[in-house]
Amino acid sequence: MTHAPATTTLFTNLRLPGRRRGSLLVGEGRILAIVPEGEALPEGGERVDLGDALVVPGFVEGHIHLDTSFYGDAWKPHIPCTNGFDVRERVAFQAQNMANAAPMAERAKNQIALCVGHGTTRMRSHVMVDGSVGLTSIETILAVRDAHKDLIDIELVAFPQSGILSSPGTPELLETAVGLGCEVIGGLDPASFDRDTHAHLDIVFGIAERRGVKVDIHLHDGGLLGAYEIEEIAARARALSMEGRVAISHAYGLGDLDRDALGRIADTLARSGVAIMTNAPGARAFPPVAALRAAGVTVFSGSDNIRDSWWPYGDGDMLRRANLIGYRSGFYEDHELEMAFDIVTHAGAKALGLADYGLAEGMRADFVTLGAEHLPQAVVGVPGGRAVYRAGRCIARDGVVLG
Ligand SMILES: [Zn+2]
C-alpha cells in the first residue's frame, strides 16, 4: 500500500525571535526544520511568503474564566464592593449577573474567538465547580472545548469559586469534575475564604494525588497571611513530588514582602517547582516578576477576567498582556521586554506542562505573525494585523477566526 506524500509547506520571508532569519519547513502539522533563508522548496511542497513578519510561537493564555465572562453579551456595569475588595461579595455579584446573562456556551465561544484571533493557541480556563452551580458550568465548557478542539487546546481547572468547606458538597463535585475531564484541581484563598488552610489544602492535594491531576489555586490573600499559604502550598507540592505541576494564581502577597522575605519565599517556590500566575492587575501590589524569575520561579500569565463581574477590562490579547506586565514592572531594556514576552509564551508552556511547544524542530507548528522587527518592538507596539497558525494551518487573520 502506498501513501500520497504528505504536503510540506515552506514559510519564507520571515523574522525569528532572537533577531534571526530563516524559513520554517512544516509538514503534518509540525515544524520539520528551521532552514536557512533561500533554501529550495521540497518537491511537491508549497511556499507561503509571510511578508517579512516576525514569527513567534502561539500565545499561552494561562488563566481565563470561560464560564463567567460577558464578552459579546450586554454590558454589565461594574458593581463596587461596599467596603474594599471582598471575594465573598464579588462572588455574590457574579451570581446575580450570571442569572441575567446570555447562554454560557455562547459567551464562552465569543471569548475563545477573541483569544484565538489575537494569537492564543493554548489555554487554561478555570471553571466554577461548587455547591452553587454543581457541575452545570463544567459540563457546558467541556462541550464547548470539544467543539473547538481543532482551533485551540484548552486545559480545564475545576474551580471552587464558592470555597470548598464553605460550600457543601464541593469536595465530591470537584472529584467528579476531574472524572469528567478536568486536568487541574483549583482552590480559593484557603485561609480567608474557607478559614482553614490545612483542611482546604488536604482536599485539593488529596484529589490531585488520587487522580494524578495538577493544581492551580487562586490566592488573593496579601501580606504575611498570603506568604504563609504560599509556603503551605509549596510544602505540599514537595511532599507529593508534584514539582512543576502546581501553580498559584495572583499570589498578591508576594508584592507586599520586603526583600529578605521575598528572597526566602522565592527560593522555596523555585525549589518546590510552584509556578506563579500574574495578570499584572492595576492599582494593587502584585508579584515582582523579575525577582521571582531571577530566583528560578516560573512566572506565567493570563487575561483572568474579561468583561465579567470582577472587572470590565481585558481583551484576550496575550501580547498586550506582556505589554502590561512590562509596563507595571518598569521594564525598559530589551532583555526585560523579552522577559515579558517569555511570560506569555514559553513560561506559560512550562507552567502548563506543554511538551510540543515552541519554534523548534518537532514542535507543533503553532505560530503568530507580527508586524515588528523583533520581540522588544512587538511588546511595546502590540501590532495588529496578525495571522495565527495552528498545526501549520492559518486559523485566524486580522483578529477574525477563519471559518
Ligand atoms: Zn481567576
Side-chain angles (χ1 to χ4, degrees):
M1 196 167 79
T2 57
H3 294 281
T7 309
T8 53
T9 307
L10 189 65
F11 292 92
T12 62
N13 192 17
L14 58 96
R15 298 162 187 266
L16 291 165
R19 305 184 199 205
R20 295 177 297 132
R21 295 195 72 100
S23 299
L24 286 180
L25 186 64
V26 171
E28 298 192 342
R30 303 215 161 253
I31 296 171
L32 302 175
I34 296 176
V35 297
E37 254 185 345
E39 189 91 346
L41 182 70
E43 202 180 324
E46 60 166 344
R47 182 190 302 273
V48 175
D49 185 322
L50 292 181
D52 204 30
L54 174 66
V55 168
V56 300
F59 303 133
V60 180
E61 167 60 76
H63 186 124
I64 200 166
H65 293 263
L66 287 176
D67 53 340
T68 50
S69 168
F70 304 115
Y71 181 75
D73 194 358
W75 179 258
K76 302 271 188 295
H78 182 77
I79 310 168
C81 290
T82 34
N83 199 10
F85 179 73
D86 180 317
V87 174
R88 241 172 236 285
E89 200 174 14
R90 294 243 67 84
V91 173
F93 293 150
Q94 179 165 270
Q96 209 174 299
N97 279 333
M98 296 280 282
N100 300 304
M104 185 180 291
E106 207 176 287
R107 292 184 283 107
K109 198 176 144 194
N110 292 339
Q111 215 177 359
I112 290 170
L114 180 73
C115 296
V116 171
H118 286 307
T120 287
T121 54
R122 326 259 185 147
M123 174 183 277
R124 170 180 286 182
S125 174
H126 296 249
V127 180
M128 277 174 74
V129 174
D130 56 33
S132 69
V133 298
L135 296 167
T136 54
S137 298
I138 198 70
E139 283 166 349
T140 301
I141 301 300
L142 279 163
V144 169
R145 165 166 86 173
D146 194 49
H148 291 79
K149 63 179 188 304
D150 293 333
L151 206 56
I152 183 169
D153 292 16
I154 304 175
E155 180 173 78
L156 296 177
V157 186
F159 171 45
Q161 174 79 85
S162 308
I164 297 179
L165 310 174
S166 313
S167 180
T170 299
E172 296 76 17
L173 289 165
L174 290 171
E175 188 127 19
T176 307
V178 168
L180 291 175
C182 291
E183 293 87 352
V184 190
I185 181 86
L188 174 71
D189 292 321
S192 66
F193 202 98
D194 271 350
R195 310 199 74 78
D196 191 336
T197 302
H198 286 269
H200 186 104
L201 294 179
D202 280 349
I203 293 168
V204 171
F205 281 90
I207 295 172
E209 187 182 19
R210 276 195 300 283
R211 312 297 297 240
V213 290
K214 294 175 275 190
V215 169
D216 190 336
I217 296 174
H218 276 71
L219 189 64
H220 308 92
D221 292 336
L224 285 176
L225 181 61
Y228 162 73
E229 290 169 276
I230 290 167
E231 283 170 353
E232 286 297 310
I233 292 166
R236 285 164 193 265
R238 290 195 306 277
L240 294 177
S241 302
M242 284 188 68
E243 293 91 342
R245 293 173 59 78
V246 176
I248 302 173
S249 286
H250 303 308
Y252 296 140
L254 291 174
D256 299 328
L257 302 175
D258 64 37
R259 227 172 80 183
D260 287 350
L262 176 68
R264 280 193 299 275
I265 208 160
D267 285 345
T268 301
L269 286 167
R271 196 159 35 90
S272 313
V274 175
I276 297 295
M277 193 299 300
T278 184
N279 61 334
R284 71 173 311 144
F286 72 108
V289 170
L292 289 170
R293 280 179 58 107
V297 180
T298 300
V299 179
F300 67 117
S301 189
S303 300
D304 194 15
N305 311 106
I306 297 178
R307 315 284 159 81
D308 70 3
S309 312
W310 297 71
W311 69 7
Y313 290 100
D315 63 1
D317 183 356
M318 291 308 291
L319 185 57
R320 187 171 303 283
R321 186 61 52 187
N323 176 296
L324 281 171
I325 292 166
Y327 182 81
R328 282 225 64 205
S329 301
F331 290 172
Y332 303 137
E333 295 176 59
D334 282 3
H335 73 94
E336 293 173 317
L337 296 169
E338 284 168 5
M339 191 193 313
F341 188 82
D342 186 73
I343 288 168
V344 303
T345 52
H346 289 280
K350 190 176 178 200
L352 269 60
L354 305 175
D356 60 348
Y357 180 86
L359 294 179
E361 192 179 318
M363 301 296 124
R364 206 173 68 194
D366 292 358
F367 56 88
V368 185
T369 66
L370 300 173
E373 285 178 26
H374 43 65
L375 295 180
Q377 198 189 57
V379 169
V380 299
V382 196
R386 306 171 197 174
V388 184
Y389 289 80
R390 183 179 190 266
R393 181 173 68 92
C394 188
I395 56 167
R397 201 174 279 282
D398 297 325
V400 179
V401 175
L402 306 176

